[in-house]
Amino acid sequence: MNDWLELEKECAECKRCTLWENRKNIVIGRGNKSADFMLIGEAPGEEEDRQGRAFVGKAGQLLSMALSAMGIEDDKYYICNVIKCRPQNNRTPYEEEIESCIQYLDRQIDMVKPKVIVLLGNIAAVSLIKKNIRITQQRGTWDVYKGIPVMMTYHPAALLRDESKKIDMWRDLKNAWKKLQQIV
Ligand code: URA
């Protein structure tokens, strides 16, 4: 079986934590599965859970608009989350849930083989880079995951709460895209 189908099947049957109990749909990711540019968020929200698609709610729409304004259309990136099932009431995922789910994300990264990754928000940064990261302090900086350069920035939901973060996030996304152009 193809690796993506295998991953989808395993996620659909996954009971490694309890989040499956309340989900409507599993949310694996969307976009170009061979993209050089990959963005990783936290976990599906209400709309994502309803549609089974990543980043289609308000925060996702804001991010897509920002990317599109930079000339980065939906087919130029792959976007997914650390967690594949919606935590009830959008609570922050627990550490055990991240530990149970991260293997799926690792497999996605191995299959997409991006050349640049953008981590959106604290949970993505804490899960992939270091437990004690504070995104407010680390945003705009680079790290490395699996040998791939990783830019850390705000989660788009943070921009819905505080518009003043927009300029910084736009700058981070542009820098990440610029880095990719230098690599390819
Ligand atoms: N927030 C996320 O982190 N991911 C989504 O898919 C939607 C909102």
Side-chain angles (χ1 to χ4, degrees):
M1 199 191 289
N2 151 324
D3 290 346
W4 281 103
L5 287 178
E6 178 64 34
L7 178 84
E8 283 163 22
K9 184 170 175 289
E10 277 180 50
C11 286
E13 292 168 358
C14 183
K15 293 189 178 168
R16 295 170 71 97
C17 74
T18 56
L19 289 179
W20 67 274
E21 290 171 3
N22 295 299
R23 70 159 190 243
K24 291 198 179 81
N25 284 293
I26 191 102
V27 179
I28 295 180
R30 71 168 165 85
N32 181 345
K33 289 176 177 156
S34 335
D36 291 331
F37 200 58
M38 181 164 178
L39 300 107
I40 302 171
E42 178 175 324
E46 189 176 11
E47 192 56 29
E48 288 77 18
D49 181 47
R50 205 175 64 75
Q51 293 191 32
R53 276 169 63 74
F55 282 95
V56 288
K58 279 204 181 106
Q61 287 168 25
L62 177 64
L63 178 65
S64 299
M65 269 169 41
L67 291 168
S68 169
M70 293 170 201
I72 313 169
E73 303 299 343
D74 286 4
D75 63 337
K76 300 224 177 81
Y77 59 90
Y78 183 77
I79 187 162
C80 64
N81 291 298
V82 174
I83 299 279
K84 311 296 186 227
C85 300
R86 182 191 181 208
Q88 274 190 306
N89 304 316
N90 300 340
R91 68 159 168 76
T92 304
Y94 301 138
E95 216 171 302
E96 313 85 79
E97 292 164 347
I98 295 172
E99 277 167 19
S100 305
C101 215
I102 197 92
Q103 57 137 329
Y104 299 126
L105 175 63
D106 275 332
R107 282 161 62 187
Q108 286 173 292
I109 295 172
D110 291 345
M111 289 190 284
V112 174
K113 299 186 184 63
K115 297 202 168 68
V116 168
I117 296 178
V118 178
L119 299 180
L120 303 164
N122 224 51
I123 289 295
V126 165
S127 306
L128 267 60
I129 305 298
K130 273 199 240 73
K131 282 207 160 57
N132 57 357
I133 280 180
R134 304 260 296 275
I135 205 71
T136 42
Q137 287 160 14
Q138 299 286 322
R139 65 135 284 276
T141 65
W142 289 95
D143 214 299
V144 176
Y145 186 69
K146 287 176 170 257
I148 304 164
V150 163
M151 161 66 78
M152 288 174 268
T153 192
Y154 292 121
H155 191 286
L159 276 56
L160 294 172
R161 294 188 292 269
D162 177 2
E163 285 215 351
S164 71
K165 293 192 163 77
K166 269 188 188 167
I167 294 178
D168 283 338
M169 192 190 187
W170 278 202
R171 190 176 296 138
D172 298 344
L173 291 171
K174 272 195 181 155
N175 279 340
W177 187 250
K178 197 163 114 197
K179 174 123 179 160
L180 176 63
Q181 308 318 306
Q182 289 162 355
I183 296 174
V184 292

